[in-house]
Amino acid sequence: MPGPDPHDDTSRDYERFEKEQLAQDRDAAGVDTADVDDTTAQRLVSDLVDADVVTLVPEDQVLVHEPSGTAFDSSTQLAVFHRGWTAGRDADTEGE
């Protein structure tokens, strides 16, 4: 019995299509964090503290992102994380 016709094999087309779709999904869900400088981060963290989204823990010198329970020692790290976390939540709700 002869094997499958190599001209009918579409598995490479499917793999290429899947890779393109995954790349588009990553691009659509991606959040630009390159514009998070110290001033922007401090402003965002201050707003998040005011909104009770972030708690300052002075004795440990950390900032706790309450919705996720994640602690940060840098306002810039927290700002970048929060942007990504928010984008991830937004992407999840769009799929519903």
Side-chain angles (χ1 to χ4, degrees):
M1 178 172 238
D5 184 355
H7 297 292
D8 289 338
D9 185 12
T10 60
S11 61
R12 289 192 188 268
D13 294 336
Y14 178 74
E15 289 171 9
R16 185 173 49 245
F17 174 76
E18 281 291 312
K19 287 179 184 177
E20 289 172 3
Q21 291 300 310
L22 288 172
Q24 288 175 8
D25 289 347
R26 276 193 305 269
D27 290 345
V31 175
D32 186 14
T33 58
D35 63 343
V36 180
D37 58 12
D38 289 336
T39 304
T40 304
Q42 290 173 0
R43 190 175 335 110
L44 176 61
V45 169
S46 178
D47 292 346
L48 293 173
V49 168
D50 292 344
D52 293 328
V53 175
V54 171
T55 302
L56 300 170
V57 184
E59 59 272 4
D60 295 333
Q61 297 182 354
V62 296
L63 304 159
V64 178
H65 185 255
E66 292 299 335
S68 68
T70 308
F72 298 90
D73 59 2
S74 162
S75 59
T76 303
Q77 290 174 343
L78 173 61
V80 170
F81 173 83
H82 181 74
R83 283 188 173 186
W85 180 82
T86 302
R89 278 191 36 223
D90 292 347
D92 287 344
T93 58
E94 287 176 9
E96 293 177 353

